[in-house]
C-alpha cells in the first residue's frame, strides 16, 4: 500500500505540469487574438471569439478545467476506496500541489499590462472542487483529536499526567495544526481548529467528573485531604493544558474558534479551587469582623502590639498558605511557555483573596465606634500588621490598586481634623460609604451606624453593601441622619454634632453626580 501511495503522489505531481501547459497555451492564444484585427472591418479577433463584457478566454478555460477536475475527483471519491483514502489522508499535500500549480500559473503569466491566466478568486474555484476530501479530512482530524483524549482517560480511575497530556493530546494537536499551517489553507485550518476546540471541550468535560465537591473538599481545619489534593492536581493539569494551548502557533484568523474551549478549561480549573477559596475567605472575614469588639474606645491597651483578631488572622492565613495555598499553587506565578493575556489562575485567585481582605478590613475598621486617640494608634498598628501578613502569605498588596490605596488612605484619615475632611484628596482613594461610616464613628453615640438602624449584624450589613451601590449606601446613612436630627430636635438641643453637616454635604455631592450622570446618559 505504501508503494502504491508513493506512485500515486508522484503521478499527481507530474499531472500538475500537464495541467499547467494547456492553460498557458490558451493564455498565449488570448494574447495573440487580442492583438490581431480583421484588415477590412478592423474587428479584434478576440471580440469574435469572446463577446465584450463576458469572461475572458482563459477564465472560461480555467472554469471548464476546474469542472473536469471536480468530476474526476468526485468519481474517484465515490468509486475508488484507495484513491479516496489516499487523497483524504494526504489532503494537505494535495492542496499544496494544486496551490503550487495555481501560483506557477500566476508567476509565469505575470506580464505588465496583461491579465494573468488565473486571478485570485480562481483559486477558490479550484479548491472548492476538492470539498469532498476536505470535509472527510476535517472529520478524520477531529476524530483523531477526540481519540487522543479518550486514550488519556481509558483507565477511568486516575487522572492522566501532565506529561501524558503533552505527549498524546498536545502532540496530536500540534501535528494537526502543522499540516494546515500555510496561508492558502485558511478555510480548512479554521475547520481543523474547530475540531480541536471540540476535543479540548471534551477533555474539560471528562475532567469535570473527577472534581470532588463534597464537604471533604471544603474543610480547612487540618491539612489538605485526599479529595482536596485531587482537586489541586486536577486544577494544575487543566492550567498546564490551558497554558500549552496558549503557546500553540494558531494563526490569528483561527484563534477565536479555539477561545471558548480554552475559556472552559480555565474556568474548570477554577471550579476545582473556588469552593475551598470561598470557605477560606469566610474564615478570614470572621476574624476581621472582630474589629467591632476589639475595644478601640479605650487607651489602656498596648499600642505597640497587634490586636488579638489580627494575630488570629495572621495565624489562620499562614495555616492556609502552608496547607492549601502552596499545594494548590495559589499565589504562585504559574509557569508559562509564552505570554498570556489571561493571568495565571493561582495568581488571579490569590489576588482576589488579598483584595477582598483589604476591602473587608477597611470597610469594617471605618465602622469601629467609638475610637480614642490611643485606639487610633492601635488601629494603625493593626493595619500595618494586616498589610504585612497579606503581602507575605497571599499577594503583594502594593500591586492591588484601589484596595491598597484605600487601606493607605484610611490611616491618615483617622488623624485628620474634621474640618479638613471634605476637601481632602484622601477621599479620592476611599469608597464614599467608608468615609461616611468613619464620620459617623466620630460622632455622638446618638448617631447610629446604618447596620444598627437596619437591625443587621455587621456581617449581614457587609453582604448588603456587596450587593448595593454607593447611592443605596448613602440612602441608608441619610436615614440615620434623619433619625438623629429628629431625636436631637425632640430633645430640645440647639445644635447638631459637627459631623452632621459634613455628611449631608458629601451625600448631596453624590446625589448631584448621579443626577448629572443620568442626564448625560
Amino acid at each position: 500500500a505504501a508503494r502504491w501511495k508513493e506512485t500515486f503522489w508522484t503521478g499527481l505531481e507530474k499531472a500538475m505540469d500537464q495541467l499547467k501547459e494547456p492553460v498557458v497555451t490558451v493564455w498565449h492564444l488570448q494574447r495573440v487574438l487580442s492583438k490581431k484585427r480583421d484588415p477590412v472591418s478592423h474587428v479584434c479577433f478576440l471580440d469574435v471569439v469572446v463577446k465584450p463584457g463576458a469572461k475572458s478566454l482563459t477564465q472560461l478555460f480555467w472554469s471548464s478545467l476546474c469542472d473536469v477536475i471536480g468530476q474526476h475527483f468526485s468519481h474517484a471519491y465515490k468509486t475508488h476506496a484507495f484513491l479516496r483514502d489516499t487523497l483524504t489522508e494526504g489532503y494537505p499535500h494535495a492542496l499544496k500541489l494544486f496551490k503550487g500549480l495555481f501560483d506557477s500559473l500566476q508567476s509565469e503569466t505575470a506580464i505588465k499590462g496583461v491579465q494573468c491566466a488565473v486571478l485570485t478568486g480562481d483559486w477558490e474555484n479550484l479548491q472548492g472542487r476538492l470539498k469532498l476530501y476536505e470535509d472527510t479530512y476535517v472529520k478524520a482530524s477531529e476524530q483523531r483529536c477526540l481519540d487522543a483524549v479518550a486514550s488519556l482517560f481509558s483507565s477511568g480511575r486516575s487522572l492522566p499526567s501532565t506529561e501524558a497530556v503533552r505527549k498524546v493530546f498536545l502532540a496530536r494537536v500540534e501535528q494537526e495544526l502543522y499540516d494546515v499551517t500555510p496561508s492558502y489553507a485558511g478555510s480548512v485550518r479554521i475547520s481543523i481548529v474547530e475540531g480541536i476546540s471540540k476535543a479540548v471541550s471534551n477533555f474539560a468535560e471528562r475532567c469535570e467528573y473527577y472534581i470532588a465537591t463534597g464537604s471533604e473538599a471544603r474543610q480547612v481545619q487540618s491539612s489538605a485531604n485526599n479529595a482536596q489534593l485531587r482537586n489541586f492536581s486536577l486544577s494544575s493539569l487543566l492550567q498546564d493544558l490551558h497554558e500549552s494551548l496558549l503557546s500553540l502557533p494558531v494563526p490569528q484568523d483561527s484563534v477565536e474558534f479555539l477561545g471558548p474551549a480554552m475559556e472552559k478549561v480555565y474556568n474548570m480549573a477554577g471550579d476545582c479551587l473556588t469552593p475551598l477559596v470561598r470557605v477560606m475567605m469566610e474564615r478570614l472575614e470572621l476574624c476581621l469582623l472582630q474589629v467591632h469588639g476589639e475595644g478601640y474606645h479605650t487607651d489602656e491597651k498596648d499600642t505597640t502590639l497587634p490586636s488579638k483578631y489580627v494575630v488570629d488572622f495572621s495565624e489562620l492565613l499562614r495555616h492556609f498558605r502552608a496547607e492549601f495555598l502552596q499545594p494548590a499553587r495559589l499565589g504562585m506565578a504559574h509557569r508559562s511557555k509564552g505570554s498570556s493575556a489571561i493571568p495565571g489562575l493561582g495568581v488571579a485567585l490569590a489576588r482576589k483573596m488579598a483584595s477582598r481582605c483589604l476591602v473587608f478590613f477597611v470597610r469594617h475598621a471605618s465602622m469601629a465606634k467609638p475610637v480614642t486617640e490611643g485606639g487610633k494608634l492601635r488601629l494603625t498598628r493593626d493595619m500595618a500588621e494586616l498589610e504585612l501578613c497579606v503581602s507575605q502569605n497571599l499577594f503583594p498588596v502594593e500591586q492591588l490598586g484601589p484596595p491598597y490605596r484605600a487601606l493607605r488612605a484610611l490611616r491618615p484619615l483617622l488623624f485628620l481634623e474634621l474640618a479638613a475632611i471634605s476637601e481632602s484628596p484622601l477621599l479620592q482613594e476611599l469608597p464614599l460609604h467608608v468615609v461616611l461610616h468613619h464620620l459617623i464613628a466620630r460622632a455622638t453615640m446618638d448617631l447610629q451606624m446604618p447596620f444598627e438602624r437596619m437591625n443587621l449584624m455587621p456581617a449581614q450589613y457587609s453582604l448588603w453593601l456587596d450587593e448595593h451601590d454607593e447611592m443605596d449606601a448613602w440612602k441608608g446613612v441619610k436615614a440615620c441622619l434623619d433619625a438623629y436630627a429628629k431625636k436631637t430636635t425632640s430633645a430640645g438641643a440647639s445644635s447638631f454634632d459637627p459631623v452632621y453637616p459634613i455628611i449631608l454635604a458629601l451625600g448631596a455631592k453624590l446625589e448631584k453626580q448621579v443626577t448629572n450622570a443620568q442626564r448625560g446618559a
Side-chain angles (χ1 to χ4, degrees):
R3 185 176 178 182
W4 277 105
K5 287 182 180 180
E6 183 179 351
T7 302
F8 169 78
W9 288 114
T10 301
L12 189 59
E13 290 173 8
K14 292 179 180 179
M16 295 300 107
D17 292 331
Q18 296 171 357
L19 289 171
K20 181 175 70 175
E21 183 178 348
V23 179
V24 175
T25 299
V26 172
W27 178 75
H28 281 301
L29 174 61
Q30 179 176 277
R31 288 182 61 205
V32 172
L33 292 175
S34 67
K35 296 177 180 179
K36 298 292 184 178
R37 292 180 179 273
D38 182 89
V40 177
S41 64
H42 301 292
V43 175
C44 179
F45 285 0
L46 185 59
D47 289 342
V48 176
V49 177
V50 180
K51 298 301 181 183
K55 288 185 178 180
S56 68
L57 198 60
T58 52
Q59 285 182 310
L60 289 171
F61 183 80
W62 177 258
S63 181
S64 298
L65 179 63
C66 289
D67 287 340
V68 172
I69 292 173
Q71 290 170 6
H72 281 281
F73 272 75
S74 178
H75 178 73
Y77 183 89
K78 296 174 181 176
T79 59
H80 296 283
F82 170 76
L83 292 178
R84 180 189 65 235
D85 295 343
T86 302
L87 278 168
T88 296
E89 179 183 339
Y91 175 75
H93 183 54
L95 196 63
K96 179 181 178 181
L97 293 178
F98 279 106
K99 189 60 167 65
L101 165 65
F102 185 84
D103 291 343
S104 178
L105 284 170
Q106 280 199 320
S107 176
E108 291 188 22
T109 60
I111 298 177
K112 188 176 181 180
V114 179
Q115 188 181 71
C116 288
V118 287
L119 304 178
T120 303
D122 293 332
W123 166 244
E124 296 177 0
N125 189 8
L126 176 58
Q127 188 178 2
R129 309 301 169 152
L130 308 175
K131 195 70 170 64
L132 280 173
Y133 296 92
E134 177 181 320
D135 292 344
T136 307
Y137 176 79
V138 167
K139 290 179 181 178
S141 171
E142 179 182 322
Q143 191 58 51
R144 287 192 293 268
C145 292
L146 289 171
D147 289 344
V149 172
S151 67
L152 291 170
F153 293 90
S154 58
S155 67
R157 295 181 180 179
S158 59
L159 283 171
S161 66
T162 298
E163 189 63 25
V165 172
R166 288 175 181 166
K167 287 184 176 180
V168 177
F169 180 55
L170 289 171
R172 179 72 265 162
V173 169
E174 289 174 356
Q175 184 60 51
E176 299 297 337
L177 286 173
Y178 176 80
D179 290 339
V180 292
T181 297
S183 58
Y184 58 79
S187 61
V188 64
R189 179 172 57 246
I190 290 174
S191 298
I192 292 297
V193 171
E194 287 178 331
I196 292 173
S197 180
K198 291 179 182 179
V200 171
S201 293
N202 183 260
F203 185 98
E205 290 164 3
R206 288 174 180 267
C207 286
E208 187 174 8
Y209 293 105
Y210 290 85
I211 299 178
T213 58
S215 58
E216 70 276 9
R218 297 189 297 273
Q219 74 81 27
V220 293
Q221 301 291 339
S222 57
S223 301
N225 56 39
N226 290 335
Q228 291 171 324
L229 291 174
R230 187 175 72 203
N231 280 355
F232 298 163
S233 297
L234 182 56
S235 178
S236 179
L237 178 68
L238 289 165
Q239 289 180 67
D240 280 328
L241 174 61
H242 181 266
E243 292 182 2
S244 296
L245 291 170
L246 281 174
S247 67
L248 289 176
V250 182
Q252 195 61 37
D253 63 354
S254 308
V255 169
E256 63 178 292
F257 299 97
L258 190 57
M262 292 178 62
E263 184 178 359
K264 189 173 185 178
V265 169
Y266 185 83
N267 290 339
M268 192 157 295
D271 291 342
C272 300
L273 304 176
T274 46
L276 178 63
V277 169
R278 192 176 297 115
V279 173
M280 288 191 289
M281 274 311 310
E282 289 173 357
R283 293 291 304 278
L284 292 171
E285 288 178 3
L286 282 175
C287 281
L288 295 178
L289 280 171
Q290 303 311 309
V291 67
H292 293 282
E294 182 52 35
Y296 290 112
H297 61 282
T298 177
D299 293 333
E300 297 178 359
K301 294 188 178 181
D302 191 345
T303 59
T304 63
L305 297 176
S307 300
K308 183 179 183 304
Y309 77 92
V310 176
V311 174
D312 293 342
F313 174 89
S314 300
E315 291 177 353
L316 186 61
L317 189 51
R318 282 193 289 269
H319 165 69
F320 288 162
R321 176 173 176 78
E323 302 298 341
F324 302 103
L325 301 179
Q326 287 182 333
R329 297 160 72 176
L330 286 171
M332 302 167 60
H334 202 66
R335 67 179 181 273
S336 177
K337 298 178 181 178
S339 62
S340 168
I342 305 178
L345 178 67
V347 175
L349 288 175
R351 183 187 184 107
K352 186 175 181 181
M353 289 180 68
S355 294
R356 178 62 179 177
C357 286
L358 297 195
V359 168
F360 196 85
F361 176 79
V362 168
R363 175 183 292 172
H364 289 276
S366 70
M367 291 190 282
K369 181 180 181 179
V371 181
T372 63
E373 291 302 313
K376 292 178 183 179
L377 293 175
R378 287 176 46 228
L379 186 54
T380 300
R381 179 70 180 82
D382 291 342
M383 290 182 193
E385 186 69 20
L386 181 85
E387 179 180 327
L388 179 63
C389 179
V390 172
S391 289
Q392 290 179 340
N393 296 286
L394 270 179
F395 192 86
V397 293
E398 63 274 7
Q399 299 178 27
L400 293 177
Y404 175 65
R405 294 196 297 271
L407 179 68
R408 283 284 177 163
L410 183 60
R411 296 178 187 178
L413 184 67
L414 292 173
F415 301 95
L416 197 63
E417 290 294 332
L418 189 61
I421 289 180
S422 295
E423 303 300 326
S424 173
L426 295 174
L427 270 59
Q428 302 299 319
E429 306 297 344
L430 288 160
L432 180 60
H433 70 269
V434 169
V435 178
L436 298 178
H437 291 156
H438 172 70
L439 288 170
I440 293 176
R442 290 192 179 204
T444 173
M445 297 302 290
D446 289 336
L447 179 53
Q448 292 180 309
M449 283 288 174
F451 72 84
E452 295 174 317
R453 178 163 179 77
M454 296 165 71
N455 292 320
L456 297 176
M457 298 297 291
Q460 295 172 316
Y461 180 58
S462 186
L463 290 173
W464 184 89
L465 287 173
D466 288 337
E467 299 171 356
H468 293 78
D469 59 17
E470 291 289 3
M471 193 62 189
D472 289 335
W474 159 241
K475 290 177 182 177
V477 171
K478 183 66 166 58
C480 294
L481 291 178
D482 293 342
Y484 165 72
K486 182 178 181 180
K487 181 178 180 181
T488 303
T489 302
S490 299
S494 59
S495 62
F496 295 141
D497 191 287
V499 304
Y500 181 83
I502 299 176
I503 297 176
L504 276 179
L506 290 174
K509 185 177 180 180
L510 173 65
E511 290 175 349
K512 184 177 180 180
Q513 291 173 348
V514 172
T515 301
N516 291 339
Q518 291 173 344
R519 288 175 180 173

